[in-house]
Amino acid sequence: KELEKENKSLRQKLLTGEERKFLEIRELNGIEVITGIVEGATKEELGAIVDREKKGNKKVVLVATRSEGKGLILCGVSDDLKEKISAAEVLREIGRRFGGGGGGRSDFAQGGLQDERRLEEAIARVSDVIKKFLGEKG
């Protein structure tokens, strides 16, 4: 009973914006790249994080969790960048590189990896994928 209560409390914190402690924020050519693996999060919770974090300008958000041995990844791109960097294409490229796939819209997409053990590597290489869309070698 106590664990259920603690779990619910953690989920509420995730949904009210305290997820930043789980996220890494990097700057790439003036773009804020926000990434992280949020253990135990649901797809809906990841979606709420993406929606919250992509608000504003020059932001790419990629968050993931593990589920049944696979990796679940959601990506969001702020409205000002979605013509240049497509969330769906970012996930397709990650899928090509790390064994998975994805799809969706230019501002929001979801996908996954066949092997959850590749999540850290995929998250760490997001900047390389974004550089590809900016016309740089990545």
Side-chain angles (χ1 to χ4, degrees), residues 15-74:
L15 293 174
T16 55
E18 289 190 30
E19 70 272 353
R20 283 219 161 207
K21 62 182 88 171
F22 300 104
L23 302 178
E24 180 180 332
I25 302 167
R26 289 176 290 198
E27 192 271 329
L28 174 70
N29 296 353
I31 297 169
E32 202 172 317
V33 180
I34 304 164
T35 59
I37 298 174
V38 185
E39 300 294 353
T42 66
K43 182 169 63 172
E44 291 74 21
E45 289 162 343
L46 290 180
I49 292 169
V50 169
D51 285 342
R52 224 179 355 264
E53 293 295 329
K54 75 175 184 156
K55 287 184 178 154
N57 289 320
K58 296 192 178 282
K59 293 185 180 189
V60 176
V61 183
L62 194 120
V63 292
T65 194
R66 297 169 214 283
S67 178
E68 299 173 11
K70 297 181 182 198
L72 172 66
I73 306 172
L74 273 68

